[in-house]
Amino acid sequence: FPTMSESIETLYSGRYLHLRKRGGWEYAERANPQGAVVIVALTPEDTVLMVEQYRVPIQSRTLEFPAGLIGDQADSSEESWHESARRELLEETGWEASHIESLMAGPSSAGMSTEVMHFVRATGLRRVHAGGGVDGENITVHEVRREEVAAFVAAAMRRGYAVDPKVYAGIYFLERNPDGSAA
């Protein structure tokens, strides 16, 4: 397998991704080295915020937790994961959080990408606007009662939605911390 001393060849560079080759291994590298955030958010009414949107790469509507790239906009290229989580939650769902807590960070797809996902928990939420995203994202916001979230996700799958597997990690983080203790 490739070693760290092998040279890296750039196969393609785009705005958000670079395709690289090291030895015989091809992979995607995020243009923003900070990665992405996934936001597990509970409203004061104990509803879970989820988002639905059409994803071009898989040609399907998806069900996800609010998420986004860290520092992906020109005016926010130096933002932290914390600032990104706050911004993405507000853009996508219309809810503002008074507290953002880091849960864990890890690779999104270690065999294909250098991207690191930062899971966060957002609490102390206040509705500011309807949400829906920016630049034509056309995000539909779902507020799902906490005790019904697993059934809601299963029903979405039955209807043909692509459910991001990170949703199941998010459901775990509704009740638990990474060490298994109660949230």
Side-chain angles (χ1 to χ4, degrees):
F1 57 91
T3 64
M4 293 303 289
S5 63
E6 289 183 297
S7 65
I8 298 172
E9 178 186 353
T10 300
L11 304 174
Y12 172 80
S13 283
R15 181 175 174 193
Y16 297 107
L17 288 175
H18 306 295
L19 296 180
R20 308 276 196 209
K21 184 175 182 179
R22 181 182 298 213
W25 199 274
E26 295 175 358
Y27 58 95
E29 179 180 85
R30 281 283 184 201
N32 66 322
Q34 305 96 319
V37 291
V38 178
I39 306 135
V40 178
L42 279 170
T43 70
E45 293 78 27
D46 204 38
T47 59
V48 179
L49 296 178
M50 300 191 79
V51 295
E52 170 190 329
Q53 61 186 313
Y54 184 79
R55 293 293 194 171
V56 172
I58 62 170
Q59 300 287 291
S60 180
R61 297 217 43 93
T62 63
L63 185 63
E64 310 169 14
F65 276 99
L69 298 176
I70 301 168
D72 65 334
Q73 298 180 5
D75 62 343
S76 64
S77 63
E78 298 297 317
E79 77 181 344
S80 68
W81 61 264
H82 183 270
E83 294 164 327
S84 177
R86 189 174 303 283
R87 176 181 55 79
E88 290 287 353
L89 181 65
L90 184 59
E91 285 174 5
E92 292 190 1
T93 70
W95 288 83
E96 184 175 68
S98 64
H99 184 70
I100 303 282
E101 167 190 9
S102 175
L103 297 170
M104 64 154 301
S108 62
S109 179
M112 191 208 62
S113 173
T114 61
E115 180 179 64
V116 173
M117 302 296 301
H118 297 262
F119 271 87
V120 302
R121 186 181 295 129
T123 54
L125 271 57
R126 177 178 71 89
R127 176 159 230 139
V128 176
H129 58 76
V134 295
D135 299 329
E137 286 179 314
N138 296 319
I139 292 171
T140 301
V141 180
H142 296 281
E143 294 181 30
V144 185
R145 292 171 43 107
R146 184 198 307 227
E147 64 272 8
E148 296 172 1
V149 72
F152 178 82
V153 171
M157 277 195 291
R158 285 192 301 274
R159 290 192 316 271
Y161 284 76
V163 174
D164 186 327
K166 292 182 292 294
V167 163
Y168 291 98
I171 290 172
Y172 175 84
F173 289 137
L174 289 169
E175 306 294 330
R176 301 268 175 223
N177 294 312
D179 67 2
S181 63

